[in-house]
């Protein structure tokens, strides 16, 4: 039976979908915090998002019952929509039903005008990216847009493709808005807000290196080198473990800048010496991040060129038994165990750093090729003996340091 809302009075409602669903109608609020089936929320939100057109039954069925052996998916849809209407009924006047139906299709009542946070968010992002506007206008637009983004699009409603597409779209818009806004804040010396903005974005996307760079740049600009170093170490660890990548040149340059300026002025040489001394007399190799390893390599090259000593560089890689790189979620535990073995098998003068998600690079000063090979064989045999059940394979290469 056809339902017609054309004679009903117009009604305006507010709908939020970023960070979760909520609908406000004449002072009454409905949220997806209440216990309802996921399909119920899916169908309601799909109708609201596509409120400018009629949605045929076949479209709903292909989206929400694609692989189910339902004897009668049409009836299942009708039952679900009946439940949606029953849930909405207390919020809407009787003469203004929010959902209209006609033979073989459903639509959102055009008399119920929806104001969506996603629409406002997109418009504010466009204003912020408009280079014709003043910096102040753009910053205010970005500030409002980022305040609207309380989280990703409808996070509680599962992995339906239509949701994934929109969620990716709004998430990408948000991250780009954060970066553009942070650039404006940096240009105007608003470093504290720059850091806060990028840090909040990292709670939603901790695999974006550019966000870490923004945080670190903002902290360095405020003279907070220790905090910047903590963020650098967090960034390198997360990127290693989840993506298997090493820091970019820009991130490494920031690390060098931090190390150049971190220390305060000190005139007492004993205080300086105490600050340089290792906190504990730990045996085994010196473990560092790759940016420091490069500087150690250069220093050792200078020493070797002057003294004539032999220095070797080793690279040890974790691979699958037949070759190839394992999945990162399999690698993490293995890499931690391998580092413990490497440290225990090397001397205190040796240096080791993680080179990639599946590799460690090792500096072996005052060691010839035979000694270096013996050391690497000891690492492999010790690892295999301690972790017999580990199916991954260790492969190493050794090369003499190039002093040219």
């Amino acid at each position: 039976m056809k339902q017609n809302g054309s004679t009903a009075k117009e009604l305006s409602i507010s709908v939020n979908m970023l960070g979760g669903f909520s609908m406000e109608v004449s002072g009454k609020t409905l949220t997806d915090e209440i216990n309802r089936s996921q399909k119920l929320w899916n169908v309601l939100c799909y109708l609201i998002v596509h409120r400018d057109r009629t949605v045929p039954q076949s479209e709903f069925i292909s989206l929400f019952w694609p692989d189910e052996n339902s004897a009668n998916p049409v009836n299942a849809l009708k039952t679900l929509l009946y439940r949606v209407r029953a849930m909405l009924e207390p919020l809407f006047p009787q003469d203004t039903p929010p959902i209209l139906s006609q033979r073989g299709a459903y639509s959102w009542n055009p008399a119920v005008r929806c104001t969506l946070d996603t629409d406002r968010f997109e418009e504010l992002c466009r204003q912020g990216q408009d280079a014709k506007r003043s910096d102040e206008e753009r910053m205010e637009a970005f500030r409002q847009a980022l305040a609207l983004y309380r989280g990703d699009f409808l996070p509680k409603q599962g992995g339906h493709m239509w949701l994934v597409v929109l969620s990716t779209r709004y998430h990408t818009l948000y991250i780009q808005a954060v970066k553009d806004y942070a650039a404006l804040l940096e240009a105007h010396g608003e470093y504290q807000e720059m850091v806060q903005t990028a840090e909040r974005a990292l709670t939603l996307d901790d695999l974006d290196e550019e966000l870490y760079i923004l945080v670190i740049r903002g902290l360095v600009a405020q003279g907070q080198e220790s905090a910047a170093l903590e963020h650098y170490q967090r960034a390198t660890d997360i990127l290693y473990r989840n993506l298997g990548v090493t820091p970019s040149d820009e991130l490494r340059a920031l690390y060098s800048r931090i190390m150049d300026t971190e220390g305060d002025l000190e005139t007492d040489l004993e205080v300086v010496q105490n600050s340089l001394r290792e906190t504990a007399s730990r045996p085994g190799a010196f473990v560092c991040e790759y940016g420091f390893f490069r500087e150690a390599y250069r220093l050792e090259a200078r020493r070797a060129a002057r003294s004539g000593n032999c220095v070797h560089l080793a690279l040890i890689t974790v691979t699958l038994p037949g070759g190839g790189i394992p999945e990162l979620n399999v690698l993490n535990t293995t890499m931690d165990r391998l580092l413990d073995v490497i440290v225990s098998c090397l001397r205190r003068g040796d240096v080791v750093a993680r080179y990639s998600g599946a590799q460690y690079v090792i500096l072996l000063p005052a060691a010839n090729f035979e000694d270096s090979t013996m050391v690497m064989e000891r690492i492999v045999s010790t690892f295999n003996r301690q972790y017999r059940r580990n199916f991954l394979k260790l492969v190493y290469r050794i090369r003499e340091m190039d002093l040219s």
Side-chain angles (χ1 to χ4, degrees):
M1 185 178 78
K2 182 176 180 180
Q3 294 179 345
N4 192 336
S6 59
T7 60
K9 62 180 181 180
E10 285 202 350
L11 179 66
S12 295
I13 69 171
S14 175
V15 179
N16 295 325
M17 295 187 174
L18 296 173
F21 175 83
S22 67
M23 172 190 291
E24 185 175 341
V25 184
S26 303
K28 302 174 183 177
T29 302
L30 175 71
T31 77
D32 60 3
E33 296 291 332
I34 63 175
N35 188 18
R36 294 289 189 274
S37 74
Q38 192 178 89
K39 278 184 182 175
L40 182 147
W41 294 114
N42 284 167
V43 168
L44 172 58
C45 291
Y46 194 80
L47 275 170
I48 294 174
V49 169
H50 299 89
R51 61 196 179 279
D52 295 330
R53 67 181 179 88
T54 299
V55 182
Q57 288 179 348
S58 58
E59 185 173 329
F60 280 118
I61 291 169
S62 65
L63 280 170
F64 303 119
W65 288 271
D67 303 316
E68 296 183 17
N69 298 319
S70 174
N72 197 330
V74 173
N75 277 347
L77 174 61
K78 288 179 179 178
T79 300
L80 192 63
L81 281 163
Y82 173 82
R83 293 171 56 201
V84 173
R85 288 189 175 109
M87 181 176 67
L88 297 178
E89 187 176 331
L91 290 90
F92 289 85
Q94 287 186 352
D95 61 347
T96 313
I99 298 174
L100 306 180
S101 61
Q102 51 190 310
R103 187 171 306 221
Y106 299 90
S107 65
W108 188 258
N109 190 341
V112 181
R113 292 185 290 107
C114 299
T115 301
L116 268 62
D117 60 345
T118 51
D119 293 341
R120 179 61 177 158
F121 171 72
E122 285 191 273
E123 174 57 29
L124 287 167
C125 286
R126 281 193 291 269
Q127 292 178 17
Q129 291 161 359
D130 185 357
K132 295 180 181 179
R133 294 174 178 265
S134 67
D135 282 2
E136 290 72 20
E137 290 174 325
R138 295 177 63 196
M139 290 166 70
E140 180 58 29
F142 279 133
R143 191 175 290 116
Q144 292 183 37
L146 300 184
L148 271 179
Y149 199 90
R150 291 173 290 274
D152 288 336
F153 182 74
L154 298 175
K156 297 181 180 180
Q157 296 194 29
H160 289 285
M161 185 53 63
W162 79 275
L163 284 168
V164 172
V165 170
L166 287 176
S167 181
T168 301
R169 172 184 170 186
Y170 295 127
H171 182 90
T172 302
L173 266 178
Y174 167 72
I175 295 298
Q176 189 57 55
V178 166
K179 294 173 182 177
D180 293 342
Y181 182 42
L184 288 168
L185 290 170
E186 186 174 24
H188 287 265
E190 301 287 343
Y191 302 118
Q192 184 173 356
E193 188 173 355
M194 172 187 175
V195 169
Q196 292 171 347
T197 299
E199 282 183 331
R200 178 177 179 267
L202 281 169
T203 65
L204 297 173
D205 190 343
D206 66 351
L207 299 180
D208 191 315
E209 188 188 63
E210 291 182 48
L211 295 177
Y212 290 104
I213 289 173
L214 290 172
V215 171
I216 294 169
R217 281 215 311 256
L219 290 170
V220 170
Q222 296 177 80
Q224 300 181 36
E225 281 78 15
S226 295
L229 184 58
E230 288 180 10
H231 276 275
Y232 174 85
Q233 292 167 342
R234 177 190 169 204
T236 54
D237 182 64
I238 288 176
L239 295 173
Y240 273 142
R241 289 181 175 274
N242 292 279
L243 300 179
V245 297
T246 56
S248 66
D249 290 341
E250 184 176 4
L251 193 54
R252 286 175 179 154
L254 279 172
Y255 175 80
S256 297
R257 183 177 170 188
I258 293 168
M259 300 310 292
D260 286 343
T261 60
E262 187 182 14
D264 295 324
L265 291 175
E266 182 57 65
T267 57
D268 189 333
L269 186 58
E270 184 177 354
V271 173
V272 174
Q273 188 175 28
N274 287 336
S275 69
L276 293 172
R277 187 177 295 119
E278 286 193 82
T279 55
S281 182
R282 187 185 66 178
F286 177 71
V287 181
C288 61
E289 79 78 42
Y290 185 69
F292 183 87
F293 184 93
R294 290 197 305 175
E295 300 306 316
Y297 179 92
R298 292 167 182 165
L299 178 61
E300 202 59 50
R302 292 189 178 192
R303 288 177 178 167
R306 185 176 66 250
S307 65
N309 289 335
C310 188
V311 180
H312 279 83
L313 186 70
L315 183 70
I316 188 165
T317 305
V318 178
T319 73
L320 295 169
I325 302 300
E327 294 291 334
L328 285 169
N329 59 348
V330 177
L331 268 179
N332 289 334
T333 300
T334 299
M335 292 299 286
D336 290 341
R337 291 171 174 173
L338 176 57
L339 181 60
D340 290 339
V341 172
I342 291 172
V343 170
S344 66
C345 289
L346 297 182
R347 304 162 300 178
R348 294 191 70 191
D350 300 329
V351 185
V352 58
R354 193 159 174 175
Y355 184 71
S356 73
Q359 293 176 302
Y360 287 108
V361 62
I362 302 169
L363 188 61
L364 300 166
N368 57 34
F369 183 80
E370 290 74 18
D371 291 338
S372 299
T373 301
M374 183 176 63
V375 168
M376 298 308 296
E377 284 292 335
R378 184 165 66 243
I379 290 172
V380 172
S381 62
T382 301
F383 181 85
N384 290 336
R385 184 175 65 255
Q386 291 185 7
Y387 305 106
R388 289 187 179 90
R389 294 184 179 180
N390 193 301
F391 69 95
L392 299 178
K393 180 182 178 182
L394 300 184
V395 177
Y396 67 84
R397 296 174 61 192
I398 303 172
R399 183 173 179 176
E400 186 174 354
M401 179 180 282
D402 184 3
L403 302 180
S404 58

